[in-house]
Every structure is written in C-alpha cells, then in structure tokens.
Amino acid sequence: MRTLELRDGVVRMIDQRKLPHKVVYVEIRDYETIGRSIKEMWVRGAPAIGAAAGFGMALAAMQSDAATRDAFIAELERVGKELYATRPTAVNLGWATSRILNKVRAANVAVRDLRELVIAEAQAIAEEDVALNQRMAEFGASLINDGDTILHHCNTGPLAAVDVGTALGCIIQAHRQGKKIHVLVDETRPRLQGARLTAWELMQYGVPMTLIADNAAGHYLYRGIATKVFYGADRVAANGDVANKIGSYKLAVVARENNVPVYSVMPTSTIDMSLASGLEIPIEERGEEEVTTIDGVRVAPEGVRVGNPAFDVTPNKYLTAIVTERGIVYPPFEENLLRVMDDAE
Ligand code: MRU
C-alpha cells in the first residue's frame, strides 16, 4: 500500500484526515489541489509531502500549454515556489521541486520532452523514497535491542513517506527481525498524529504498543521504562540541530536527563546544509482551531489567544545519533554530516 502514487495522469493518495476510522483515497488531477492537500494535511510527513510536491510539478507539466522551453521553465518555477510555500519547515518540499527544476534546466530538449522528463523525475523521487527508507530502516533497526521500550513522537511510519517511513520504519523493521520490543506512542497534540496514525500503523503490523498522553512521557523516562527515544525530522541544519514535530525538544531534554538515548531518523533530502543552526529553520505556525478544538469539538473559551508552532528544534547536543540512508551519524555532527553529504553528492 503506497501513501500516494501517480498513475495515468492522476495522483491517488490516502486521505490521512479520515484515519483511523476509514481508509479513503482521493484522486487529484491538478497541482493546485496538490498544494491544498499538503497545506490541509490530507498528506503529511516530510518525505510524503516531498513526493506529493514532485507529483504536483508533474501534473503542472502535463497541463502546461507553454510553447517554448523558457515559458515552460518559468511556469514550473512559479508552481515550485507555490508548492514550497504550503508548509515552510519541511525542506523536502523545496528539495523535490528544485531537483525537478534542475533536471529541466539542464536538458536542452523540446517542451514535449521536458514534460516527460518532469514526470519521470517525480516518479524517480517517489521510487527512491521507498528504497532509501528501507536502507534507513535497516540501519535504525541495528540500534534497537531485544527488550527495548521505545518512546516515539508524531507519525513517521509508511504514511509519512511513500512507504516504509523513517523512525517508525526502523521500529517496524526491528519487530520483523523478531526483536521483542514495545512502543510507547505519544498521542502528539494538537493534531494527534500519534493516536490516529502511529497507533493504527503499529496495530496493522502487530507491533506491541501502548498509547500515552504526551504529558506522560517524562514519567516513563524517569521510571526507566522507556529505554530509547526515536523520532523523525522535518529539517536538519548543518550542525545537526533537528526540527521535528512540536514536543520533540522537550522529549529529548527529559531523555538526556535520564540517560536515555535519542535517535532522529531522516533521509539526506531532509538535511539542509545551507543553514548553520536550528535557529535559522523557519517554523510553521498553524491555525488556532487545531489547539482550541479536539476532533472538531471546541474545548477552549471563545476569544482565547493561541500559539500553534507545528515544529520545534532539538539542539544537536541532545541527540545520540542521526540515522540516514547513508548510515548512522554520530557527534560531532557538524563534521560528520558534512562527510555524509559530500558522499551523497
Ligand atoms: O505536521 P506533520 O504531521 O507533517 O509532521 C510530521 C513530523 O513531524 C514527522 O515526525 C516528520 O515529518 C518526520 S518523519 C516522516
């Protein structure tokens, strides 16, 4: 089951807003609706929205009536900017749209062939995502021991990517290897990706788990019940500071206080070497209704002031290691990430 795919000019994706109650697919035929699906989180998770943006570029290319190469490139540049702006923290959006644009700019061929090139590159991004997540899952699973109880934040499973996922991919892989593990699933307010998506995915795979309120995490760390923390990333700065779902930072600090290792798992496409530290990572601020309501039911008084940053930054000193498809990266991150990224080039 793929989270999303492009076939015969139509993008088909699971509408994640309907889970866990219903598995519903939506069909999308234009890039504007792809933009909406990312913004409104029908599809979410850094690698998944990167692939969605790639498919958005492909739909725009298919529908473009640009007559010249220059007009075609100008049109795709505009679409790329629009798609990148839908969710500003996850760098995979910009990575996917730039990768396609670079390919187009480098090809000196007719517009008709450029269209095909965009579609092929978007498909390649999606296919590669699955393959490299599988490699990451192997690396990450090697950090998990028989008997571990792993605290996990947000959703980083197959639904957060084209398939397999990032941090949860490692956990599912460890389970498949026969390791006896247990997962403590943070519910992840305000949008409850843990309760709605991670719990559902782990139950599909038969991985033993317990759903906990975010506020319970410290208790499980202090009592020595949680032995490892795993989460994903939406953007990583060159020094190894990691932006991930709001609440990740707090988790990492309490884990360090209790000598519990913290691992962040992401493809190298999530690493943004242009930013020196996490302070430079733009943090998406989302609508207040995500905080004032739960499942559409208002829980806060009318007129209350709300802050809703969707992500926070874990400073690199709290991370035990960063797991990528190129291997496990240990401190000093500044030096070792540079080496990994140079190898990737
Ligand atoms: O707001 P979301 O649901 O898109 O946030 C997702 C996360 O924060 C994930 O942990 C992240 O994308 C990294 S792993 C897929």
Side-chain angles (χ1 to χ4, degrees):
M1 185 174 82
R2 293 262 163 122
T3 304
L4 71 166
E5 61 183 6
L6 168 63
R7 216 186 285 169
D8 303 325
V10 179
V11 175
R12 203 163 168 263
M13 66 167 69
I14 299 178
D15 185 345
Q16 299 191 32
R17 296 168 305 174
K18 303 279 185 342
L19 288 170
H21 309 298
K22 279 189 224 154
V23 182
V24 176
Y25 284 84
V26 281
E27 294 195 339
I28 301 178
R29 292 178 167 76
D30 57 86
Y31 88 87
E32 290 93 340
T33 311
I34 289 286
R36 199 176 143 214
S37 73
I38 297 171
K39 206 174 178 58
E40 296 179 4
M41 296 173 67
W42 315 356
V43 61
R44 30 70 46 207
I49 58 180
F55 287 157
M57 297 286 274
L59 293 182
M62 283 175 215
Q63 283 155 11
S64 165
D65 50 18
T68 64
R69 189 173 169 278
D70 284 353
F72 181 79
I73 292 175
E75 189 174 340
L76 277 191
E77 280 172 346
R78 183 182 50 74
V79 170
K81 262 196 208 128
E82 239 176 85
L83 290 170
Y84 191 13
T86 52
R87 296 203 65 192
T89 302
V91 74
N92 299 61
L93 282 175
W95 170 84
T97 52
S98 307
R99 173 170 153 172
I100 290 172
L101 278 165
N102 289 340
K103 195 89 184 179
V104 170
R105 288 190 196 109
N108 205 0
V109 294
V111 172
R112 188 167 38 93
D113 297 327
L114 285 180
R115 280 197 188 96
E116 291 310 315
L117 202 129
V118 172
I119 298 164
E121 197 62 12
Q123 293 288 20
I125 287 171
E127 285 311 312
E128 284 169 27
D129 182 67
V130 182
L132 62 86
N133 289 348
Q134 258 148 8
R135 281 205 297 280
M136 246 161 23
E138 288 292 341
F139 285 125
S142 73
L143 297 166
I144 298 172
N145 300 323
D146 214 36
D148 267 339
T149 294
I150 302 158
L151 193 42
H152 175 273
H153 197 60
C154 196
N155 174 262
T156 66
L159 288 165
V162 178
D163 202 352
V164 183
T166 60
L168 208 65
C170 305
I171 293 170
I172 293 168
Q173 183 62 17
H175 168 76
R176 282 188 164 141
Q177 290 169 346
K179 292 176 186 166
K180 302 259 175 301
I181 56 169
H182 196 94
V183 188
L184 294 170
V185 176
D186 266 1
E187 61 176 349
T188 318
R189 270 287 281 156
R191 288 192 68 108
L192 299 171
Q193 289 94 328
R196 296 192 303 106
L197 308 175
T198 302
W200 182 75
E201 285 184 323
L202 289 176
M203 289 170 87
Q204 306 284 312
Y205 286 94
V207 183
M209 54 145 288
T210 304
L211 177 65
I212 62 169
D214 297 330
N215 290 337
H219 163 78
Y220 287 100
L221 287 161
Y222 174 66
R223 290 284 164 114
I225 297 166
T227 54
K228 271 166 197 152
V229 171
F230 266 74
Y231 52 71
D234 287 80
R235 193 186 298 226
V236 180
N239 69 346
D241 290 351
V242 164
N244 191 54
K245 180 52 56 193
I246 194 77
S248 303
Y249 170 43
K250 202 162 77 169
L251 202 55
V253 175
V254 183
R256 169 56 54 88
E257 169 71 17
N258 291 282
N259 297 316
V260 173
V262 179
Y263 300 103
S264 175
V265 185
M266 82 292 299
T268 48
S269 53
T270 303
I271 302 174
D272 184 350
M273 296 301 281
S274 74
L275 304 184
S277 86
L279 277 173
E280 293 174 38
I281 299 176
I283 299 294
E284 176 185 359
E285 187 75 28
R286 294 189 61 86
E288 15 182 281
E289 70 293 347
E290 291 185 351
V291 179
T292 56
T293 63
I294 297 180
D295 231 1
V297 178
R298 187 152 187 118
V299 291
E302 292 293 342
V304 72
R305 185 185 295 192
V306 172
N308 186 17
F311 303 96
D312 60 24
V313 172
T314 305
N316 60 16
K317 66 176 178 181
Y318 293 109
L319 295 168
T320 308
I322 283 173
V323 181
T324 74
E325 79 278 14
R326 298 221 143 225
I328 302 168
V329 184
Y330 290 96
F333 291 118
E334 195 143 8
E335 205 175 301
N336 292 339
L337 279 180
L338 196 61
R339 203 167 30 78
V340 165
M341 297 308 275
D342 279 352
D343 287 353
E345 301 275 298

